[in-house]
Amino acid sequence: MSRTDRTLVLLRHGQTAWNLERRAQGHSDVELDNTGHAQAAAVAPYLAGLAPALLWSSDLARARQTAEYVAKEAPVELRLDPRLREFDLGDRTGLTRTEFAAAYPEEYREFRAGHYDIGPGGETRADVVARVTVCVEEALATLLPGECGVVVGHGGALKVSVLELLGWSEGAVAGLHALDNCGWAVIQDSGVDGRLRLAAWNRTAL
C-alpha cells in the first residue's frame, strides 16, 4: 500500500445458513452461522492490522455482524449504511437456485449469464450500482492520502459496483470470480488521474 494512495478494502460478509443452501438472501436479515462467525473472527485481526481510518457496513445482520468483529479489533467507529445492502431480489428472495430455475427459467438463464437484475419485482443493476458506488466514493473521499478504510457489504452488489468504479464494461462481470464469504477486494486511488485501481480480488484469511 502506497503512502499516498487512498485504499479501500471491500469485504463480503461471512457465511450464513442461506449461503450454504444457495438460497437468495437479498434484503432478508439473515444472520451469520457458526462458520460465518469463525470467518469474521479470522479476518478481523488482519484488517485491523491495516489500521483502518473508517469502517462502514451494510446494516443487514450478516454484514453488520461481520463488521462488528473488525470493530472489536480496530479502534474505529462502525457506521451502518443501508446503501451498501445487497440487491433487493423481489420475488426471488428466499428461493434456492433450483427453485428459481423451476419458477423463472428464462430469468434464471439470464442470471447464469451474469445479468443480475432480472428477478421479478427486484432491484435493477443500475439502482444498486448507483447507491453502492456513491457510498464507496464518499468513503474514499473521507480518507486522507495514505489512509485505509474498510467497507463491509454483499457479494453481488460489491461485484457489479467494483466494475463501475473501475470503468470496466458490464460484460466484464463474467471475468471476476464471485467473492467468497469474508473474501475481500482492494481498490486504490492514487489521486493522479482520477482513476481507481484494483489491487486485489477475493483475498481470504482462511
Side-chain angles (χ1 to χ4, degrees):
M1 187 168 65
S2 166
R3 293 183 179 180
T4 59
D5 287 352
R6 293 178 172 89
T7 302
L8 272 186
V9 174
L10 305 177
L11 176 69
R12 186 188 177 196
H13 61 80
Q15 180 181 284
T16 71
W18 282 25
N19 285 139
L20 275 183
E21 298 167 1
R22 300 177 73 83
R23 194 174 297 280
Q25 296 178 110
H27 284 194
S28 295
D29 214 17
V30 185
E31 297 190 347
L32 298 178
D33 64 12
N34 289 339
T35 297
H37 282 287
Q39 291 168 334
V43 78
Y46 181 88
L47 298 185
L50 300 177
L54 65 81
L55 174 61
W56 293 7
S57 172
S58 159
D59 61 339
L60 294 176
R62 57 195 185 274
R64 172 178 51 77
Q65 290 173 335
T66 301
E68 286 170 350
Y69 279 94
V70 181
K72 289 177 185 177
E73 299 286 341
V76 61
E77 183 178 355
L78 172 59
R79 166 176 159 174
L80 301 180
D81 196 318
R83 292 177 298 175
L84 292 169
R85 288 185 175 192
E86 182 61 286
F87 277 81
D88 180 347
L89 297 174
D91 295 346
R92 186 188 161 203
T93 303
L95 298 180
T96 65
R97 290 196 179 182
T98 300
E99 292 166 345
F100 180 39
Y104 305 101
E106 181 58 34
E107 288 85 352
Y108 180 73
R109 283 192 290 272
E110 289 295 307
F111 166 75
R112 294 293 294 169
H115 305 145
Y116 298 142
D117 57 354
I118 41 67
E123 195 173 16
T124 68
R125 177 190 180 117
D127 288 340
V128 174
V129 166
R131 60 175 167 81
V132 175
T133 56
V134 167
C135 188
V136 170
E137 287 168 346
E138 286 180 12
L140 270 170
T142 300
L143 298 173
L144 297 174
E147 286 188 332
C148 173
V150 176
V151 170
V152 185
H154 305 266
L158 288 177
K159 188 173 182 179
V160 297
S161 297
V162 164
L163 294 178
E164 180 70 17
L165 289 161
L166 296 173
W168 294 2
S169 70
E170 183 175 324
V173 70
L176 281 179
H177 187 280
L179 286 170
D180 293 332
N181 288 115
C182 273
W184 69 88
V186 179
I187 58 173
Q188 294 178 328
D189 177 11
S190 66
V192 175
D193 55 7
R195 296 178 64 87
L196 300 179
R197 183 169 68 92
L198 182 64
W201 181 258
N202 203 32
R203 289 184 174 172
T204 57
L206 293 177

